């Protein structure tokens, strides 16, 4: 096997799985960022009166 072929094989063996797993890593980062944003939004809305959210709370209104 030539040096070029060995280099290409190494890139395929390493780069292939990385390319397949990258979207999951990116999605995880975006989910964490979104969760932080939502938590901040909820914290800023703490003075707003709560709205019944469960079915039981709606029935008891």
């Amino acid at each position: 096997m030539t040096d070029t072929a060995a280099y290409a094989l190494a890139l395929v063996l390493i780069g292939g799985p990385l390319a397949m797993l990258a979207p999951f890593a990116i999605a995880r980062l975006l989910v964490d960022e979104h969760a932080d944003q939502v938590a901040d939004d909820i914290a800023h809305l703490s003075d707003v009166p709560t709205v019944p959210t469960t079915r039981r709370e709606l029935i008891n209104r």
Side-chain angles (χ1 to χ4, degrees), residues 1-18:
M1 181 180 292
T2 65
D3 290 340
T4 304
Y7 180 71
L9 180 61
L11 287 178
V12 168
L13 292 176
I14 294 170
L18 286 178

Side-chain angles (χ1 to χ4, degrees), residues 1-54:
M1 181 180 292
T2 65
D3 290 340
T4 304
Y7 180 71
L9 180 61
L11 287 178
V12 168
L13 292 176
I14 294 170
L18 286 178
M20 289 186 289
L21 295 175
F24 295 105
I26 293 168
R28 177 60 190 228
L29 293 173
L30 291 174
V31 164
D32 289 340
E33 182 179 321
H34 178 69
D36 291 340
Q37 273 184 330
V38 170
D40 289 341
D41 291 343
I42 290 172
H44 287 92
L45 294 176
S46 63
D47 58 340
V48 175
T50 59
V51 177
T53 55
T54 65

